[in-house]
Amino acid sequence: MSEPQGSEGTTQRLPVIERETEHEQRDRSAPAAAYGPPPVLEGGTGGTERRFWSARRIPAGIVALLLLLVAGIFLYDIAAVRADRPAMHWRRELSRQLAERPLDDTWVLVGAGVAAALGLWLILLATAPGLRSLLPMRRTHPDVRAGLHRDAAAMVLRDRAMEVAGVQSARVRMSRKKADVRTVSHFRELDDVRGDLDVALAEAVSGLGLSRPPALSVHVTRTTRKKG
């Protein structure tokens, strides 16, 4: 028996059947233990990860600009001389000074020292990786490299130190090879606080996932109370 058709009627929502794919069902039914941390590649925990190299765009740009200016000035002066024009006054004066001044002159030694220092600085920039504030992490995938900023690592260690009972304040100085943690305790025995800090901070350093974990240096002092 069909329903009467008219201007008035009722709207009914049809039931919706949601189907899950086999992959979704397997993900939903899989235990939490199946989603562990990604495996670490062999050799990824022995400090084999190298530091990140800095691009050094600013020093390279400055050196390139200076070389371009000096080369352009010398080429212009040489072209002017070839065109039967007098050389620039500064080049004539520089040639005269270099010809007349002895090698043991003070200004000659100062200029040579500045040039040598500049050359050593450029060599150091070329051979050092830079980015000292970025700590390389253990590689868990062959195509992915990760790094952790030293300030972020210091903040993690500071927060973990503040969770230890008896710690009133904590200060962490992080370097590439060492983590210096200085805390102030206002109750409990200092030896007990120090023991808990050693355990908590060792776990925190291991949890950072760094390729070269820094050495821990923990100092605990007693807070000084002001007498009223």
Side-chain angles (χ1 to χ4, degrees), residues 19 45 47 50-51 59 64 71 103 105 118 127 135 140-141 144 170 183 185 192-193 220 226-227:
R19 296 183 177 180
T45 60
R50 298 181 179 180
R51 292 170 53 190
L103 295 179
D105 186 75
L118 181 60
T127 56
L135 304 175
T140 58
H141 193 277
V144 178
T183 61
S185 176
D192 297 340
V193 177
V220 184
K226 297 182 179 180
K227 297 181 180 180

Side-chain angles (χ1 to χ4, degrees), residues 10-114:
T10 59
T11 303
Q12 297 180 355
R13 183 176 181 180
L14 297 177
V16 179
I17 300 176
E18 297 181 355
R19 296 183 177 180
E20 294 181 347
T21 63
E22 295 181 359
H23 180 71
E24 293 175 348
Q25 292 177 357
R26 184 171 60 254
D27 290 347
R28 186 169 57 85
S29 60
Y35 296 93
V40 180
L41 294 179
E42 295 182 0
T45 60
T48 57
E49 291 299 323
R50 298 181 179 180
R51 292 170 53 190
F52 292 88
W53 280 77
S54 174
R56 295 187 177 92
R57 295 182 178 88
I58 295 178
I62 293 175
V63 173
L65 181 60
L66 291 177
L67 292 177
L68 180 62
L69 292 176
V70 172
I73 292 174
F74 273 102
L75 287 176
Y76 174 81
D77 191 39
I78 293 174
V81 172
R82 292 293 184 180
D84 296 333
R85 294 183 180 181
M88 293 183 180
H89 175 72
W90 66 269
R91 193 164 73 91
R92 296 197 306 269
E93 182 66 22
L94 179 61
S95 300
R96 186 183 65 82
Q97 293 290 340
L98 293 177
E100 295 178 357
R101 288 183 179 272
L103 295 179
D104 58 351
D105 186 75
T106 303
W107 289 108
V108 174
L109 296 177
V110 170
V114 172

Side-chain angles (χ1 to χ4, degrees), residues 165-169 182-194 197 219-226:
V167 176
Q168 184 181 16
S169 62
R182 297 183 179 273
T183 61
V184 177
S185 176
H186 58 294
F187 71 92
R188 295 183 67 194
E189 294 293 333
L190 295 182
D191 294 338
D192 297 340
V193 177
R194 171 64 186 271
L197 281 172
H219 305 273
V220 184
T221 58
R222 180 69 67 188
T223 180
T224 57
R225 298 181 180 179
K226 297 182 179 180

Side-chain angles (χ1 to χ4, degrees), residues 133-152:
S133 61
L134 193 60
L135 304 175
M137 302 178 68
R138 291 192 298 267
R139 182 174 294 190
T140 58
H141 193 277
D143 298 330
V144 178
R145 289 192 66 193
L148 182 64
H149 202 278
R150 285 194 302 179
D151 293 341

